[in-house]
Amino acid sequence: MPRSATQLRADALAIWQAGVEAVRSDRLVREHVIVEGGELHIAEVTMLLDDIDRIVVVGGGKAGAGMAAGLEQALGSKLLKEKRVSGWLNVPADCVRELGAIHLHPARPAGVNEPTPAGVAGAETILEMVSSLTPRDLCLCLISGGGSALLPAPAVGISLAEKLAVTRFLSSAGANIQELNTVRKHLSRIKGGRLAAALSHGTIISLIISDVLGDPLDLIASGPTVPDHSTPAEALAILLKHGAQQEPSLENVVAFLQTRLSSQADKPFPADRVTNIILGNNALAVDAAGIEAERRGYSHAMHSSNQMEGAAEEVGRHQARLARSMREEAGPDCLITGGEPVVKLAPAEIRGKGGRNQQLVLAALDELGTEGLTGIAILSGGTDGEDGPTEAAGAFVDEAIAKSAAAMNLDIADALRRNDAYSFFAATDGLIRTGPTHTNVCDLRVVVVDRIADPHSAPHSV
């Protein structure tokens, strides 16, 4: 049965939302933390409650508020009181709410994914709490994407302004998350396993929602409870590769890393008292979206990338070409993919506003042209509800948006060149606005088509 443009749009949004719903942070924590009789089960770890005097909760990330709420629900009011549960999490300001035992600290403004003095103050408190644990204390560390910016604790000799300059420099140079976090770890007192190294007594179990493809524990939130196997030399090489030696604001950072090449000042990592557990990731969201697509009658193909992707523009154009083929040839009529491309920012003097998902969708529109969206809807959104420095999760494009852009004579190529996709989709009503989702597992993309040929293939992966 043919699908109207209105149905294609509704289906794409519903499929995307089902993926986000499956990785809701409160749900994931409740599924993995279970109190039963005299035991506390945390995924595959079982502890006797009688062996625990106190539970301390720390951490940070965009999913932190939901994780903390889910944890309080999972533990229950009786255990919260008996184990004197207390905690501190650094979260975005628009995620703050009152909880029973865990304090949510506004470590940065909404939509500004950069370290702040408030984040430093919160990180200092977290380090103090971990260092104060006694032998029979349990520390539950809640970690999610965005933790790198939300948990800033500059190394001695490095200022917050310099860490901010490094982040901005590498982001604008098109550095991927692996490069960015490798550098940040070596400029920090909390990243790269240093939060766990602050542990003198007690045990840490980290519950982690992964926003890094392939789930490398040392890169998620820059691995505060994971031993770091990278070196200062690697961090320095990344900076020099992107031209940091030409940036006066990074002169001290480069010199700092050079001095670290021959030093070994870090405390040993307490491997026997630290456990890291992944609760959710991009693949889980993609799978759930696929289930919803099938429920809506689509024959779907799906793929969750396990490695860094290339430029958002190239990913968007590839999605557009696949959409055209899906519409015109027998096979799947829905494509669900997950990943995280990169955007190289335009010079500040011409740069507009947008994020990688909006840039990706705009590139897809540019590939198809305003006359080429008949029977096609393409959507890309960040599962955290934020896309770059905007309050939108991402964007979608379909026949109606393409016609609107043409009627307003909007310049697609110029908006792409200036990274101004937000303004483009704000004008055409193509932005996805969800508010904070309290989760973060990279990006989720959906393509649906009204196929010319009847579908006859079974769901499969691409």
Side-chain angles (χ1 to χ4, degrees), residues 22-142:
V23 289
R24 267 182 42 191
S25 54
D26 58 339
R27 167 191 284 183
L28 291 174
V29 172
R30 289 196 306 270
E31 288 175 350
H32 288 84
V33 178
I34 299 171
V35 178
E36 191 173 49
E39 296 179 333
L40 174 61
H41 303 276
I42 304 176
E44 71 274 13
V45 178
T46 297
M47 303 182 70
L48 295 175
L49 290 173
D50 285 345
D51 291 340
I52 302 170
D53 284 347
R54 184 172 60 121
I55 297 176
V56 174
V57 184
V58 299
K62 294 179 182 179
M67 295 180 80
L71 181 61
E72 288 195 355
Q73 294 166 10
L75 295 177
S77 57
K78 181 173 180 288
L79 199 62
L80 290 177
K81 183 176 181 180
E82 288 179 354
K83 299 304 176 184
R84 297 175 289 143
V85 176
S86 62
W88 184 291
L89 265 76
N90 278 11
V91 299
D94 57 345
C95 296
V96 171
R97 53 178 141 157
E98 285 293 327
L99 296 177
I102 302 168
H103 173 71
L104 300 178
H105 175 65
R108 67 159 174 82
V112 182
N113 196 25
E114 293 182 334
T116 68
V120 174
E124 296 285 1
T125 298
I126 289 169
L127 285 166
E128 291 171 6
M129 293 175 73
V130 170
S131 65
S132 72
L133 294 176
T134 63
R136 286 171 51 87
D137 288 342
L138 169 64
C139 178
L140 297 179
C141 189
L142 309 182

Side-chain angles (χ1 to χ4, degrees), residues 378-400:
I378 299 175
L379 178 158
S380 184
T383 54
D384 57 0
E386 292 182 345
D387 187 29
T390 77
E391 89 293 348
F396 62 89
V397 66
D398 58 10
E399 185 177 2

Side-chain angles (χ1 to χ4, degrees), residues 229-240:
H229 300 296
S230 70
T231 66
E234 291 170 343
L236 181 60
I238 290 167
L239 282 176
L240 298 182

Side-chain angles (χ1 to χ4, degrees), residues 296-452:
R296 288 174 174 263
Y298 287 89
S299 173
H300 64 279
M302 56 188 185
H303 173 68
S304 173
S305 180
N306 61 7
Q307 58 187 357
M308 298 304 302
E309 296 187 296
E313 296 86 354
E314 288 307 310
V315 176
R317 293 183 188 282
H318 182 60
Q319 295 266 302
R321 291 191 291 269
L322 288 173
R324 185 189 292 123
S325 297
M326 289 162 56
R327 181 185 61 186
E328 298 172 358
E329 301 172 7
D333 53 3
C334 173
L335 173 64
I336 302 164
T337 58
E340 187 170 284
V342 296
V343 173
K344 187 168 184 177
L345 297 180
E349 60 269 20
I350 66 167
R351 188 186 311 155
K353 186 177 181 181
R356 61 179 180 262
N357 290 282
Q358 296 159 48
Q359 188 84 350
L360 184 155
V361 175
L362 189 57
L365 173 58
D366 190 48
E367 177 73 19
L368 293 171
T370 54
E371 301 298 321
L373 266 294
T374 302
I376 293 175
I378 299 175
L379 178 158
S380 184
T383 54
D384 57 0
E386 292 182 345
D387 187 29
T390 77
E391 89 293 348
F396 62 89
V397 66
D398 58 10
E399 185 177 2
I401 288 171
K403 288 181 177 179
S404 179
M408 288 185 279
N409 201 29
L410 296 180
D411 192 331
I412 299 172
D414 181 65
L416 274 173
R417 179 179 67 87
R418 297 187 299 105
N419 306 134
D420 199 26
Y422 179 91
S423 300
F424 183 96
F425 287 114
T428 56
D429 199 26
L431 292 171
I432 304 169
R433 289 187 170 101
T434 63
T437 62
H438 304 293
T439 193
N440 189 10
V441 295
C442 303
D443 302 335
L444 185 61
R445 305 181 288 258
V446 180
V447 176
V448 289
V449 303
D450 180 30
R451 297 183 57 253
I452 295 172

